[in-house]
Amino acid sequence: MSAGPSGYQTGSQQAPHAEQTATSGRIGVVTPSLPDWMSSTLAADGAGGQGALPPWIVALSPDATVLGPALVVTVGRDDNSPMKQVPGAVTVDGTVLVIAGAGESRTAVLGDLVAAELRRAGIAAVVTDWLIRDSRAVAALGLPVWARGVTPVASRKDGVGTVGGTVVIGGVPVSDGDVVVADADGVVIWPQTQVTSYLQAADAKRQADEAKAASG
């Protein structure tokens, strides 16, 4: 295993189960791992502004910071059928579930019962263009969510949608294993193939910013 910028480790590491609550601290560990200083702003800087999800996908638990590998889900309008397949598809604790295809949905992709199943399966966070319900209970379970908002209305289960592969959310393509960086400022996706180069650029920006702050 070789070292990269500021403690970054290349190679495969299994992430420990994320036990922090949704209202405090850093949740999730990516494979390969990212350094503690990583944020959505530095992730966006490192990627030259690419991969940032639109601002209407907002942090419902803004105190949480999440770094994790993506597992993607494709859904149909107002149909959350694929959610029951997600627990069996999770292979690494600290995974971030990215659910796309519900930009026009007016129901909830998940509530507290589904959230509890996701946490038990090792899902560290959810990013979606959908809505959720039972938002206080979901936060209390330690599952931070980035979404369009909330609703009290449950979804249908008509069997539409799939787990795994590639999705497009907010105009940004996401595939299984891509790196998700999410915090109060938003969500940034790094393709697996770009992680090393984007990290080097983010680290250079961080060090330049720190030098400027120290000299000022």
Side-chain angles (χ1 to χ4, degrees), residues 121-146:
I123 294 294
V126 172
V127 174
T128 182
D129 54 7
W130 210 335
L131 309 168
I132 72 164
R133 68 179 192 166
D134 304 320
S135 57
R136 291 178 180 174
V138 171
L141 286 166
L143 185 72
V145 176
W146 283 257

Side-chain angles (χ1 to χ4, degrees), residues 95-193:
T95 293
V96 179
L97 193 65
V98 179
I99 308 167
E104 297 182 355
S105 293
R106 302 188 67 174
T107 59
V109 64
L110 63 87
D112 57 346
L113 297 180
V114 172
E117 293 177 357
L118 297 179
R119 290 292 291 127
R120 286 193 292 270
I123 294 294
V126 172
V127 174
T128 182
D129 54 7
W130 210 335
L131 309 168
I132 72 164
R133 68 179 192 166
D134 304 320
S135 57
R136 291 178 180 174
V138 171
L141 286 166
L143 185 72
V145 176
W146 283 257
R148 280 193 291 125
V150 298
T151 178
V153 184
S155 292
R156 301 189 306 271
K157 293 175 175 56
D158 296 334
V160 178
T162 58
V163 176
T166 298
V167 299
V168 176
I169 179 170
V172 176
V174 187
S175 297
D176 294 333
D178 286 350
V179 170
V180 182
V181 181
D183 57 23
D185 290 325
V187 182
V188 178
I189 309 297
W190 280 3
Q192 292 185 74
T193 57

